[in-house]
Amino acid sequence: MGQAAGLPKLLRKIKWEMDAFSWSQLLIVLGSFTAFLIVPLGLIVVRSFYSSSTGFSLYWLQSILTDPFYFPLRLKLVGQFPFITLEGIRGSLYEVVRYQTPTGPETIVILTGWDMGVIPNSLVVATFTTLLSTLLGFTLAFIFAKYKFPGSELLRVVSLIPLLSTPFVGAIGLKKMIVADGVLNVLFHDILHLLPFKIEVTGLPAVIMVQTLLFYPIVMLNAYTALISVDPTLEEQAINMGASGFKLFRTITLPLATPGVEAGALLVFILSLEDLGTPIVFKGTTAEKVLTFQIFNRIFTPAGLISQEATTLAMILLVISGLVFVGVRRYVSLRKYAMLGKGGAWRPRRRRLSPLTTILVYAFILGVLFFATLPHIGVTLLAFAKQWGPTLLPSSFTLDNFRAVLSDEEASRCIMNSLVYSSIATLLMVVLGVSAAYLVSRKKSLPGIEALDLLVTIPIAVPGIAVATGLFLTYLGTPLSPTISGAPLLIAAYTVRKIPFTVRSVYSGLEQTDKALDEVAWTVGASRTRTFFSIVMPMILLNVLAGGMLSFIYSMSEVSTGIVVGDANHRDAPMTWKMYDMLFHGLAGGTFQPAALGFLLMTLQFAFIVGANLLLRKRATALIGI
Amino acid sequence: MVSIRTVNLTKVFGSVVAVDHVSLEVGHGEFFTLLGPSGCGKTTFLRTIAGLEMADEGRIYFDDQDITDMPAHLRGTGMVFQNYALWPHMSVFDNIAYGLKIRKVPKDEIRRRVRDVLRLVKLEGLEDRSPHQLSGGQQQRVALARALVINPRVLLFDEPLSNLDAKLRIEMRAELRRIQRELGITAIYVTHDQEEAMSISDRIAVMNRGRIMQVGTPREIYKNPKNDFVARFIGQGTFMEGEVVSTNDVLEIRLGSGKIVKAVRSHPEVDLGVGDRALVMIRPEAFTLEPGEGYNEFDVRVYHVSFLGDSQMLQASNEVENFIIEVDPDLEVEVGQRLKVYAPPRHTLAIKI
Ligand SMILES: Nc1ncnc2c1ncn2[C@@H]1O[C@H](COP(=O)(O)OP(=O)(O)OP(=O)(O)O)[C@@H](O)[C@H]1O
Ligand SMILES: [Mg+2]
């Protein structure tokens, strides 16, 4: 068998599995992804190594890697121990500023962080964000998975709140908290006198802080699922064999939970690396000196073309996240994901805590939650604030910010644009996502079907700004050019970037319906097409709906492509661009009006995520985990 | 109604040959059963007939029509799955009517035919229930009705009764057979329960590791097993190994203990000559307690007695072999007792090994 009959048998197999309907499903998915993801990303790579005079060229890569702005770090040999030093780090971790106020001398410690150049900065930020998120996320997950105390279920849900906003919105809220006369200093220095000096967090440390507070739930979700999926009898066995306490944790619990934690951590690394929203909010500080912001900042040449420098930076960003994706690949494929979702069949072993430990645990969790909800509280207060000086709360509240936003012609047009683009994109995502999920789930025996799984899950790891750059490279000057209309590229970008949410939800729905239900329909005479529409679709409708809702809401809050396209064409800009525009080019209102927009977005996101979860009930456990 | 024929039908999963060059013929209106241990390829064979799996080699014919590459929905097979596979989002009526709607049967006729088939499976009045409101037996009947209502050319059953309790199973299998006979549809039935297979089938194919070991009526399979797999798989028996020492009108076989027994070939195709190794099998009911002309005689000690009501089974041994002996239920036997038992040569079967 096999070898000799190889090719003809393969062709027969393909013919057997693929009818006209399956082919059309496959072709629309491959076609859309080729046109709006593969070719654009390919062009980024090609253009990075291209020069009009010599063809292939390393010029841009070389000039970036030798430019101290991007990569100043140099190893230098020196005469004494340790004989080698690292040069090129600029600035210092913090600065101390003293000044006089009417009430006496005042000290501010400004956390600015070192500047190591754009490329190292991006990596350092991503590394710190990942470490901190993992520490925080894992500790919380461990507490919730292993201990029993009053209110633990509620606290667990509350600690997922950060998932409800994008870094862009969260950063606007948190910024108000951590500046020199921000809420935290008012509270801890002015009112409670817990701090002998004020602390301002800015620049790269602020980016790390925002990202950590928004991303830790991703690690937490993955770790929690992994921890409660650990067969408790394994732990009991270990205890019977004499393991206890830390040894049990180190030898049994941790290794079993590691894959989940690793998956979450690597995803956080990628998300941090590709985050453009936070650096934009902290524009004007060292936060600018990261890859995403630099690409965004110089994507257009003065002539309105796509700069090769930005393209090459995008290529570097793409390569780094690609490498990380290889590590995370195993965990984010549909099949793996469906298995994760099925975890938690055990009754987890939960220990009661002594009163003292309970208090410590509460103190820790409430402390984390205090910081984790700061961004959201910040945005909310800003959105309703009329005036907010250096005080704990705004001095007066108003609905004017919303009125102003909704009566502003451009703002309402942008909201409308976002709604329209996201709706159309959602329709496309449902069609493409259902097609892809159906093929991957139902044609497992078809050679090469894993490639399709890869294709529709990979957007998780592709930086948005790289997608934006690629789309511009590909379509500037064509009928799809954003200078003609912003709609096509934004819809395309939303579709390829946010489709994993739909695909995953639909796929898990398909895995939960027995394939025999399709097959029995065939035997009574229904063609595959007919079976798909009259049997399969009705059974997975809820999953389609829930996935569509998530894809929709994450399209609404998409930042990277939105801002770049919006800059190129204000008329067709989406809501996130308007927030950005108001933040930096707005007239009155300062951050209040962008915060009002952000608040609307956050509320919508809250409603949709809760809605999607209610639709799927228990089955949705891992759904929002990016 | 059609006949089904497979020629060298083969299905491979990776390195597992699930169905291995199977050539079978199932006649018009026949109730044909595939019987074999778990994992022997019964389901795979059935799915290949239904068009749910692609045949890797070989052909499948319905009458003279080659349907090997025909898509499942054009084959006109009615299939009943082990877990019934009722569509949860449809009522009983819609489940059954689905196949008719596809055939664009007029509404009135659909209603009539669904009513008729519900009567046939004795489920009148449950049209509006949804599947999860039905008992296992009722679900089973709905699945059957759904397969029947489209007047399939062939009925395929994959262990349709295995999820039912023992009593219902016996009731349902009589029902299945009645309906199949009434409608005269050719049926292939898959089971690993030999009692079920024996009681319901016109013919049985015994399968092992993807291959057909023997095809025959239940009686043939039981009385004339072609090989040791069938002999051991079907029914119970006392097995002894030995060597053929003469092949006159009866075979004479020397057992390991040196004892010589007289036997006949288990099946006309069994080819045994002097010097061949042979397996000797005696069914429990072939033993008697009275000697007869030329009977084989065994001295055994009883070590277990099972009283079954209408019969009584003894497990006994003679140091070398274990015996299973059916005796009159009125006979008083005790564990440890010594017995002389006899078996006539025509019921002492020799099988090639
Ligand atoms: N889709 C599949 N992929 C890989 N191997 C399979 C697949 N389906 C069946 N097999 C293998 O083929 C062999 C035959 O399986 P099959 O289901 O036909 O057995 P069966 O006789 O129906 O068993 P059972 O009585 O347990 O239902 C088994 O070894 C099984 O593991
Ligand atoms: Mg089976």
Side-chain angles (χ1 to χ4, degrees):
Chain A
M1 294 298 315
Q3 265 76 358
L7 190 62
K9 193 178 151 188
L10 181 67
L11 291 178
R12 229 186 108 216
K13 175 91 195 163
I14 291 174
K15 201 168 153 219
W16 176 270
E17 288 284 351
M18 302 290 292
D19 60 354
F21 181 64
S22 315
W23 276 117
S24 46
Q25 286 184 315
L26 182 65
L27 291 179
I28 54 167
V29 175
L30 290 184
S32 328
F33 271 77
T34 307
F36 299 111
L37 192 70
I38 299 176
V39 167
L41 296 184
L43 267 186
I44 289 180
V45 178
V46 171
R47 285 296 298 263
S48 311
F49 297 104
Y50 176 78
S51 113
S52 51
S53 51
T54 60
F56 176 82
S57 152
L58 286 175
Y59 171 77
W60 284 107
L61 187 61
Q62 219 161 25
S63 66
I64 283 173
L65 292 181
T66 51
D67 183 342
F69 180 76
Y70 293 117
F71 200 85
L73 302 185
R74 300 285 176 270
L75 288 174
K76 199 167 179 195
L77 295 174
V78 288
Q80 77 252 61
F81 188 78
F83 306 113
I84 206 162
T85 61
L86 189 60
E87 293 201 336
I89 299 178
R90 278 166 297 194
S92 57
L93 183 57
Y94 60 89
E95 286 165 27
V96 181
V97 178
R98 293 193 175 79
Y99 61 100
Q100 283 296 327
T101 66
T103 53
E106 194 84 84
T107 309
I108 309 183
V109 175
I110 306 178
L111 219 57
T112 54
W114 293 286
D115 172 13
M116 308 183 192
V118 168
I119 297 172
N121 282 346
S122 274
L123 292 170
V124 167
V125 167
T127 306
F128 270 95
T129 299
T130 305
L131 288 177
L132 294 173
S133 304
T134 305
L135 204 65
L136 215 55
F138 182 77
T139 311
L140 285 173
F142 187 81
I143 292 173
F144 289 127
K146 295 289 168 192
Y147 298 109
K148 213 165 22 183
F149 49 92
S152 61
E153 206 45 30
L154 178 70
L155 287 174
R156 189 174 72 80
V157 174
V158 172
S159 55
L160 294 175
I161 279 184
L163 286 175
L164 300 181
S165 79
T166 57
F168 188 37
V169 174
I172 294 175
L174 194 69
K175 192 176 178 189
K176 176 65 189 164
M177 303 284 164
I178 58 179
V179 290
D181 55 359
V183 173
L184 287 179
N185 280 325
V186 173
L187 181 62
F188 291 114
H189 179 265
D190 300 353
I191 298 179
L192 298 176
H193 302 295
L194 289 174
L195 290 174
F197 46 80
K198 291 187 173 181
I199 299 178
E200 168 165 344
V201 187
T202 179
L204 297 173
V207 176
I208 295 174
M209 187 168 174
V210 171
Q211 290 179 346
T212 302
L213 290 180
L214 289 177
F215 292 156
Y216 79 82
I218 294 165
V219 179
M220 183 184 141
L221 263 181
N222 280 289
Y224 183 78
T225 313
L227 282 171
I228 62 169
S229 312
V230 170
D231 181 353
T233 55
L234 278 178
E235 289 179 340
E236 269 146 32
Q237 253 173 28
I239 291 171
N240 288 342
M241 286 159 64
S244 69
F246 186 68
K247 178 143 190 232
L248 175 71
F249 174 77
R250 195 172 49 81
T251 56
I252 305 290
T253 316
L254 193 59
L256 288 171
T258 300
V261 178
E262 216 172 276
L266 289 174
L267 280 176
V268 168
F269 192 93
I270 293 176
L271 290 176
S272 165
L273 209 57
E274 71 126 23
D275 177 22
L276 174 59
T278 314
I280 280 185
V281 171
F282 289 91
K283 200 169 150 179
T285 71
T286 47
E288 282 187 356
K289 297 193 75 181
V290 292
L291 277 167
T292 47
F293 188 91
Q294 292 306 320
I295 298 169
F296 161 70
N297 204 27
R298 56 193 70 209
I299 183 163
F300 295 111
T301 63
L305 298 172
I306 300 302
S307 98
Q308 257 186 309
E309 188 176 355
T311 305
T312 310
L313 289 174
M315 185 273 289
I316 294 171
L317 184 62
L318 202 56
V319 167
I320 298 173
S321 34
L323 289 177
V324 180
F325 181 74
V326 172
V328 78
R329 163 75 189 131
R330 292 184 281 152
Y331 306 115
V332 298
S333 79
L334 290 176
R335 290 176 201 190
K336 188 65 197 182
Y337 167 78
M339 278 166 63
L340 265 182
K342 280 178 195 151
W346 317 105
R347 276 181 80 73
R349 236 170 50 96
R350 287 207 169 94
R351 293 227 319 260
R352 283 190 185 287
L353 290 172
S354 71
L356 181 67
T357 354
T358 310
I359 290 170
L360 287 177
V361 162
Y362 274 124
F364 174 73
I365 294 177
L366 292 177
V368 171
L369 289 188
F370 172 76
F371 281 99
T373 48
L374 277 182
H376 310 81
I377 295 171
V379 172
T380 309
L381 292 176
L382 283 168
F384 290 96
K386 186 165 189 171
Q387 265 193 328
W388 196 357
T391 49
L392 192 59
L393 294 174
S395 46
S396 56
F397 291 96
T398 175
L399 287 175
D400 282 351
N401 302 324
F402 293 97
R403 270 188 217 114
V405 161
L406 295 177
S407 61
D408 179 303
E409 202 185 317
E410 191 173 61
S412 28
R413 193 179 62 230
C414 289
I415 296 178
M416 206 53 205
N417 285 343
S418 273
L419 287 171
V420 171
Y421 302 157
S422 301
S423 304
I424 299 175
T426 303
L427 277 182
L428 292 174
M429 284 185 269
V430 165
V431 171
L432 298 175
V434 169
S435 299
Y438 179 73
L439 292 172
V440 176
S441 162
R442 289 300 194 255
K443 304 202 182 293
K444 292 197 170 87
S445 63
L446 208 60
I449 204 73
E450 299 87 356
L452 190 64
D453 183 345
L454 178 71
L455 191 64
V456 293
T457 41
I458 213 171
I460 290 175
V462 181
I465 191 71
V467 175
T469 311
L471 285 173
F472 270 79
L473 271 179
T474 317
Y475 293 105
L476 210 63
T478 72
L480 294 188
S481 179
T483 49
I484 299 172
S485 162
L489 284 202
L490 276 177
I491 292 170
Y494 292 171
T495 305
V496 293
R497 291 201 63 205
K498 307 302 177 183
I499 202 173
F501 296 100
T502 301
V503 176
R504 283 175 157 197
S505 174
V506 174
Y507 184 81
S508 71
L510 284 168
E511 290 297 286
Q512 281 154 357
T513 54
D514 191 350
K515 193 183 173 195
L517 294 171
D518 307 16
E519 291 172 341
V520 79
W522 305 345
T523 64
V524 299
S527 67
R528 301 209 194 163
T529 315
R530 176 124 191 195
T531 303
F532 177 82
F533 286 109
S534 61
I535 302 291
V536 179
M537 279 304 279
M539 290 191 300
I540 58 167
L541 205 59
L542 282 186
N543 294 74
V544 175
L545 215 61
M549 283 171 77
L550 289 177
S551 285
F552 175 81
I553 200 60
Y554 286 112
S555 298
M556 288 291 293
S557 57
E558 201 272 356
V559 174
S560 316
T561 327
I563 295 183
V564 179
V565 171
D567 260 353
N569 183 342
H570 297 190
R571 187 172 39 94
D572 297 332
M575 195 171 159
T576 40
W577 174 79
K578 186 63 196 169
M579 283 167 67
Y580 157 75
D581 189 54
M582 284 177 155
L583 214 45
F584 295 105
H585 313 119
L587 304 164
T591 51
F592 296 159
Q593 289 181 16
L597 270 180
F599 178 79
L600 289 178
L601 198 55
M602 202 169 78
T603 318
L604 212 57
Q605 199 155 345
F606 178 77
F608 272 67
I609 292 181
V610 171
N613 274 275
L614 286 181
L615 273 184
L616 296 187
R617 304 278 157 106
K618 274 210 131 102
R619 287 186 274 161
T621 38
L623 206 61
I624 42 179
I626 301 294
Chain B
M1 194 185 359
V2 294
S3 66
I4 304 164
R5 188 158 59 91
T6 68
V7 180
N8 284 330
L9 192 63
T10 300
K11 176 76 202 172
V12 183
F13 293 113
S15 60
V16 180
V17 187
V19 175
D20 192 357
H21 295 88
V22 169
S23 300
L24 279 178
E25 270 196 77
V26 181
H28 289 252
E30 191 177 15
F31 199 109
F32 189 89
T33 297
L34 279 177
L35 173 64
S38 184
C40 72
K42 310 178 292 289
T43 297
T44 306
F45 178 82
L46 206 66
R47 289 173 56 82
T48 317
I49 301 289
L52 303 177
E53 303 281 358
M54 181 185 87
D56 288 320
E57 267 181 57
R59 315 295 317 168
I60 307 167
Y61 301 90
F62 283 0
D63 286 336
D64 289 326
Q65 185 189 10
D66 183 339
I67 58 142
T68 317
D69 290 317
M70 183 188 277
H73 68 280
L74 301 178
R75 292 192 183 191
T77 56
M79 182 152 172
V80 181
F81 288 71
Q82 183 170 357
N83 57 3
Y84 320 137
L86 299 180
W87 299 304
H89 61 295
M90 295 185 189
S91 67
V92 167
F93 180 90
D94 290 335
N95 262 279
I96 299 173
Y98 183 78
L100 297 175
K101 285 180 188 154
I102 284 165
R103 288 170 173 70
K104 300 205 165 55
V105 176
K107 273 215 162 83
D108 297 347
E109 196 188 332
I110 292 185
R111 208 161 301 131
R112 186 179 55 72
R113 280 170 70 176
V114 171
R115 198 174 341 109
D116 288 351
V117 79
L118 279 172
R119 188 171 317 125
L120 188 68
V121 300
K122 301 188 174 152
L123 273 186
E124 296 107 318
L126 296 186
E127 289 89 336
D128 297 327
R129 295 264 187 104
S130 101
H132 67 265
Q133 297 171 314
L134 300 177
S135 72
Q138 290 170 329
Q139 291 184 22
Q140 171 60 60
R141 287 165 201 256
V142 176
L144 177 63
R146 179 177 59 185
L148 289 174
V149 80
I150 56 168
N151 294 331
R153 298 203 279 175
V154 173
L155 263 179
L156 304 174
F157 296 100
D158 189 2
E159 310 210 22
L161 306 182
S162 61
N163 288 342
L164 304 180
D165 64 51
K167 195 154 164 281
L168 196 56
R169 201 151 56 210
I170 292 174
E171 228 174 273
M172 275 301 293
R173 75 190 184 209
E175 198 91 328
L176 279 184
R177 189 63 227 252
R178 170 184 67 83
I179 291 168
Q180 183 264 347
R181 203 170 269 148
E182 235 172 270
L183 303 176
I185 306 175
T186 311
I188 302 185
Y189 189 96
V190 158
T191 180
H192 62 253
D193 177 342
Q194 48 159 309
E195 191 204 323
E196 194 169 293
M198 300 291 240
S199 69
I200 199 173
S201 319
D202 291 322
R203 283 192 307 148
I204 295 173
V206 181
M207 219 176 156
N208 186 34
R209 296 165 168 238
R211 296 191 192 191
I212 300 298
M213 305 309 292
Q214 184 172 0
V215 182
T217 62
R219 181 179 302 272
E220 281 165 358
I221 298 258
Y222 185 81
K223 298 253 179 199
N224 305 107
K226 227 175 185 175
N227 46 52
D228 66 324
F229 178 83
V230 177
R232 289 181 192 273
F233 187 73
I234 304 288
Q236 291 180 304
T238 299
F239 296 93
M240 298 169 270
E241 286 188 23
E243 185 188 325
V244 179
V245 290
S246 96
T247 58
N248 299 327
D249 17 330
V250 291
L251 300 172
E252 289 190 322
I253 294 163
R254 188 184 318 112
L255 301 181
S257 57
K259 179 183 176 74
I260 296 205
V261 293
K262 296 196 176 69
V264 296
R265 291 179 175 80
S266 66
H267 187 275
E269 284 173 30
V270 167
D271 169 32
L272 278 173
V274 173
D276 285 344
R277 300 283 306 157
L279 179 72
V280 173
M281 176 182 75
I282 305 167
R283 295 287 184 200
E285 65 278 6
F287 286 107
T288 69
L289 298 177
E290 279 95 52
E293 173 70 32
Y295 280 23
N296 299 309
E297 174 188 323
F298 304 94
D299 273 319
V300 297
R301 179 197 286 276
V302 177
Y303 64 84
H304 187 77
V305 180
S306 343
F307 178 74
L308 300 172
D310 54 348
S311 70
Q312 184 164 221
M313 285 288 178
L314 309 181
Q315 276 169 288
S317 99
N318 67 350
E319 257 83 274
V320 191
E321 287 103 5
N322 284 321
F323 289 70
I324 299 181
I325 303 155
E326 185 182 335
V327 293
D328 190 295
D330 294 335
L331 185 76
E332 305 244 329
V333 202
E334 275 167 24
V335 171
Q337 189 176 333
R338 287 198 157 278
L339 275 182
K340 265 194 194 333
V341 294
Y342 306 90
R346 67 194 158 87
H347 287 152
T348 306
L349 306 180
I351 302 154
K352 184 158 182 161
I353 45 175

